[in-house]
Amino acid sequence: MTETNLAVLLRARPQGAPVLSDFDIVEHAIPKPAEGQVLVRARYLSLDPYMRGRMSDAKSYSKPVEIGAVMEGQTVGEVVESRHPDFRPGDTVLGGYGWQRFSAVDSSRLWKISPHDAPLSWNLGVLGMPGLTGWWGLKEIGQPKAGETLVVSAASGAVGQVVGQLGKIAGARVVGVAGGAAKCAFVTDELGFDACVDHRAPLDPALDAACPAGIDVYWENVGGAVQAAVFPRFNDFGRMVMCGMIAQYNTAPGADASGAPAGPNLGPVVRKRLRIQGFIVSDHGWAQYPAFRAEMLGHIAAGQMKVKEDVTEGLENAPEAFLGLLEGRNFGKAVVKVL
Amino acid sequence: MTETNLAVLLRARPQGAPVLSDFDIVEHAIPKPAEGQVLVRARYLSLDPYMRGRMSDAKSYSKPVEIGAVMEGQTVGEVVESRHPDFRPGDTVLGGYGWQRFSAVDSSRLWKISPHDAPLSWNLGVLGMPGLTGWWGLKEIGQPKAGETLVVSAASGAVGQVVGQLGKIAGARVVGVAGGAAKCAFVTDELGFDACVDHRAPLDPALDAACPAGIDVYWENVGGAVQAAVFPRFNDFGRMVMCGMIAQYNTAPGADASGAPAGPNLGPVVRKRLRIQGFIVSDHGWAQYPAFRAEMLGHIAAGQMKVKEDVTEGLENAPEAFLGLLEGRNFGKAVVKVL
């Protein structure tokens, strides 16, 4: 094996928006798998907004990445060496091995998947954590019904594209919110959403036009001005699925950070009987991963679940791509091809 | 029948806090029950915060009271004349007959109850709509578990006293929030809450002391400063049962009233997986009224459900008592004895 183990480490905790110097790109040793472990070579790394939280030591639902440690992340790749009877070299596996080329992983943290189901990288998006997030949150919290209006922020992103297409399959009117004409055109023309609101233009008239019957379900990925514009438009018994608020990840990363912008007055929650619920897919969702995967493969086969990816070549370019993701510069699910 | 039909009408929609001149006290005719109806004489009228919403024509979950119409409200009383085979003169009945002595009521809007279960007026509180509200919201949304911390605002009020005592029965640590030393002493010494925070004193240190393990369930009756102080103290998977926000009923009565104070930034809803849910008991709860009543009678018999009422004598004094309720001047469930 002549390859080296390229890795991206957390060098410094960002103050506000992360910068490239918050990361270190190093070559370290290829680990030796212990008994029961498997050595995996990553082919694709997923970039996701939650990683911003892991760079911070503010109180959160998960431990931060330590300074000097490998950045956390989901990867898909193949088994190089196995010390567990269930895995063999060449097996395709999905798991959280971090921003590095080679990892020695406990077998309990691996999903063995078929390399023939879909393009390999899709296992990080529509068939991976973001897809599972959208599927679980919509099934358990959002519950859009036929004829209801579902609004999806960050509509062309990894989670948004899944949520909107699942909403269409459920028979809802689906309205995306995305940044710029190109993303909006993609959301309606390729993904089949009924409408898309460009958040760079005034939101109120655009939402009025796109949601003539009000809003029953809002999938929250962004927070900020979009949340403020959506909130007063909820119908009675509206549901707000709190998946993320990327608009403030760089300014208010902590759980109770002072300086976070105010939220909506909650009076309408009583009068309209709204439900606002947050969730983290890792609390629940992976137990349902096989059912989720089977359902999604069915939707893909039926042509009802399209995928757009934003692929960055080379692990050394992951930090730059990640900074772009936090600013909405990606167009589609952000993945890194680990060369 | 020599009695007259004293009634309280809505004369004018309040601007801000209601005033006495928003009401008219009149004597109008005792109605004649139509076929299928029952003539009821009210003995007690319930005063509840939701009535403030009915005085306003801002969009809400229920139609406003028309100008010149009888104020809405629950009463308990007895059948005077019946044109329905299920009811006889002398039967004790519970229903929404408004702020008046006599009403002709459709039988479908009546609950026939035993006059021997409890003092008559309790059917408007612990055994009525406020009790059902507390019972349903805690069972369906709050779901306090043994060892969890439940905070109840307006703790000595009609709903709060039921919620807190049900929380104790469920094994939770129960912390009330109430206005003033007398109410706080009652909440701990008589109702058996573990602690009570006086919202007239600084909230942060008092909540820290009363909730050393954080807050798992918050029963929201008030909004405002109490909500702001409770929100950052939620534990992961906390539930916020949105029953009311009386602190802003006089300033922001509408569903989306401009001028309403900002709410909490919702970032923690994601990170802590919070659930914020509003409900109106009339959507769901009455279908479960018999089960609720049976359970509550059991708690009362077991000495686990104490009751404090604030009784005003005379229907003509109902407006003054209602204004006091909106300012928190009542001490216990506000009822009017209809003489």
Side-chain angles (χ1 to χ4, degrees):
Chain A
M1 206 178 298
T2 58
E3 289 184 288
T4 58
N5 192 8
L6 196 72
V8 180
L9 313 183
L10 180 64
R11 181 195 285 171
R13 302 209 181 281
Q15 304 299 317
V19 293
L20 290 180
S21 62
D22 293 331
F23 301 91
D24 260 331
I25 296 168
V26 301
E27 288 186 1
H28 62 175
I30 296 175
K32 298 279 177 200
E35 187 63 35
Q37 286 191 326
V38 172
L39 181 65
V40 179
R41 194 227 190 264
R43 291 297 172 187
Y44 286 92
L45 164 69
S46 182
L47 295 179
D48 300 285
Y50 78 86
M51 294 164 168
R52 175 64 184 83
R54 298 289 199 284
M55 299 178 77
S56 166
D57 57 4
K59 195 181 171 200
S60 187
Y61 57 89
S62 190
K63 282 185 185 172
V65 175
E66 297 296 327
I67 297 292
V70 176
M71 282 288 294
E72 278 184 37
Q74 290 267 317
T75 61
V76 63
E78 76 256 346
V79 173
V80 176
E81 181 185 346
S82 175
R83 297 191 65 189
H84 189 282
D86 291 349
F87 294 89
R88 296 181 180 195
D91 282 350
T92 301
V93 286
L94 174 65
Y97 327 129
W99 298 25
Q100 61 186 342
R101 201 176 271 149
F102 290 96
S103 320
V105 186
D106 289 340
S107 61
S108 62
R109 293 179 54 223
L110 292 173
W111 289 95
K112 185 152 60 174
I113 57 176
S114 164
H116 309 298
D117 284 344
L120 198 57
S121 57
W122 288 23
N123 293 291
L124 299 176
V126 66
L127 297 174
M129 186 276 287
L132 185 65
T133 296
W135 178 83
W136 193 91
L138 213 56
K139 183 167 71 80
E140 299 292 332
I141 304 174
Q143 302 175 344
K145 294 170 193 65
E148 288 192 328
T149 297
L150 164 65
V151 173
V152 185
S153 60
S156 67
V159 176
Q161 53 185 267
V162 171
V163 168
Q165 291 179 94
L166 287 175
K168 288 301 297 177
I169 290 167
R173 173 177 175 79
V174 177
V175 176
V177 181
K183 287 181 181 177
C184 277
F186 166 75
V187 161
T188 52
D189 301 351
E190 300 298 321
L191 299 185
F193 288 25
D194 297 282
C196 188
V197 168
D198 182 352
H199 65 70
R200 296 174 188 171
L203 284 164
D204 287 320
L207 283 170
D208 281 343
C211 307
I215 297 171
D216 300 291
V217 182
Y218 174 50
W219 186 280
E220 176 62 292
N221 282 321
V222 302
V226 177
Q227 180 183 96
V230 163
F231 195 77
R233 291 178 163 79
F234 270 120
N235 293 326
D236 286 354
F237 302 102
R239 288 84 73 194
M240 184 161 166
V241 189
M242 300 292 292
C243 180
M245 285 174 61
I246 195 172
Q248 69 183 44
Y249 285 3
N250 283 335
T251 52
D256 311 305
S258 59
N265 179 282
L266 296 179
V269 176
V270 182
R271 282 183 293 270
K272 298 184 177 180
R273 297 82 121 191
L274 304 182
R275 179 180 180 185
I276 303 174
Q277 187 165 352
F279 76 106
I280 305 288
V281 72
S282 53
D283 290 333
H284 324 271
W286 289 102
Q288 299 182 49
Y289 183 72
F292 151 76
R293 188 177 177 95
E295 182 183 323
M296 295 299 277
L297 287 171
H299 294 322
I300 291 168
Q304 294 181 295
M305 188 59 61
K306 305 211 171 118
V307 169
K308 182 163 181 67
E309 296 181 309
D310 187 316
V311 183
T312 297
E313 303 260 330
L315 189 58
E316 65 278 15
N317 296 315
E320 175 75 37
F322 179 64
L323 305 192
L325 172 70
L326 291 178
E327 293 169 8
R329 281 194 267 118
N330 61 305
F331 186 177
K333 168 68 189 117
V335 294
V336 175
K337 187 169 184 181
V338 182
L339 302 173
Chain B
M1 208 178 294
T2 58
E3 288 185 289
T4 57
N5 193 8
L6 195 73
V8 180
L9 313 182
L10 179 64
R11 181 194 285 171
R13 302 208 182 281
Q15 305 299 319
V19 293
L20 289 180
S21 62
D22 293 331
F23 302 90
D24 260 331
I25 297 169
V26 302
E27 288 186 359
H28 61 177
I30 295 175
K32 296 281 177 200
E35 187 61 37
Q37 285 192 327
V38 172
L39 181 66
V40 179
R41 196 237 189 256
R43 291 298 173 187
Y44 286 93
L45 164 69
S46 182
L47 296 179
D48 300 285
Y50 77 85
M51 294 165 168
R52 175 63 184 83
R54 298 291 198 284
M55 299 178 76
S56 164
D57 56 5
K59 195 181 170 199
S60 186
Y61 57 89
S62 188
K63 283 185 185 171
V65 175
E66 297 296 326
I67 297 293
V70 177
M71 282 288 295
E72 277 184 38
Q74 290 268 316
T75 62
V76 63
E78 74 256 347
V79 173
V80 175
E81 180 185 347
S82 174
R83 298 190 65 191
H84 189 283
D86 291 351
F87 295 89
R88 297 181 179 195
D91 282 352
T92 301
V93 287
L94 175 65
Y97 327 128
W99 298 25
Q100 60 186 342
R101 201 177 272 151
F102 290 96
S103 321
V105 186
D106 289 340
S107 61
S108 62
R109 293 178 54 221
L110 293 172
W111 289 95
K112 185 152 61 175
I113 58 175
S114 164
H116 310 298
D117 283 345
L120 198 57
S121 58
W122 289 21
N123 293 290
L124 299 175
V126 66
L127 296 174
M129 185 276 287
L132 185 64
T133 296
W135 178 83
W136 193 91
L138 213 56
K139 183 167 71 79
E140 299 292 330
I141 304 173
Q143 302 175 344
K145 294 171 193 64
E148 288 191 328
T149 297
L150 164 65
V151 173
V152 185
S153 60
S156 67
V159 176
Q161 53 185 267
V162 171
V163 168
Q165 291 179 93
L166 288 175
K168 287 302 297 177
I169 291 167
R173 173 177 176 80
V174 176
V175 176
V177 181
K183 288 181 180 177
C184 277
F186 166 75
V187 162
T188 52
D189 300 352
E190 300 298 321
L191 299 185
F193 288 25
D194 297 283
C196 189
V197 168
D198 182 352
H199 65 72
R200 297 175 188 169
L203 284 163
D204 287 321
L207 283 170
D208 281 344
C211 308
I215 297 171
D216 300 291
V217 182
Y218 174 50
W219 186 280
E220 175 63 293
N221 283 321
V222 302
V226 178
Q227 181 184 95
V230 164
F231 195 77
R233 291 178 164 81
F234 270 121
N235 293 326
D236 286 353
F237 303 102
R239 288 85 72 194
M240 184 161 164
V241 189
M242 300 291 293
C243 179
M245 284 173 62
I246 196 172
Q248 69 183 45
Y249 285 3
N250 283 335
T251 52
D256 310 306
S258 59
N265 180 282
L266 296 178
V269 177
V270 182
R271 282 182 293 269
K272 297 184 177 179
R273 297 82 123 189
L274 305 182
R275 179 180 180 186
I276 303 173
Q277 187 165 351
F279 76 107
I280 306 286
V281 72
S282 53
D283 290 334
H284 324 271
W286 289 101
Q288 299 182 49
Y289 183 71
F292 151 76
R293 187 176 176 94
E295 184 182 323
M296 295 298 278
L297 288 171
H299 294 323
I300 291 168
Q304 293 181 297
M305 187 61 60
K306 305 214 171 116
V307 169
K308 184 165 179 66
E309 296 181 310
D310 188 316
V311 183
T312 297
E313 304 260 330
L315 189 58
E316 65 278 13
N317 296 316
E320 176 74 39
F322 179 63
L323 305 192
L325 172 70
L326 292 179
E327 293 169 9
R329 281 193 268 119
N330 61 305
F331 186 177
K333 167 68 188 114
V335 293
V336 176
K337 187 170 186 182
V338 181
L339 302 174

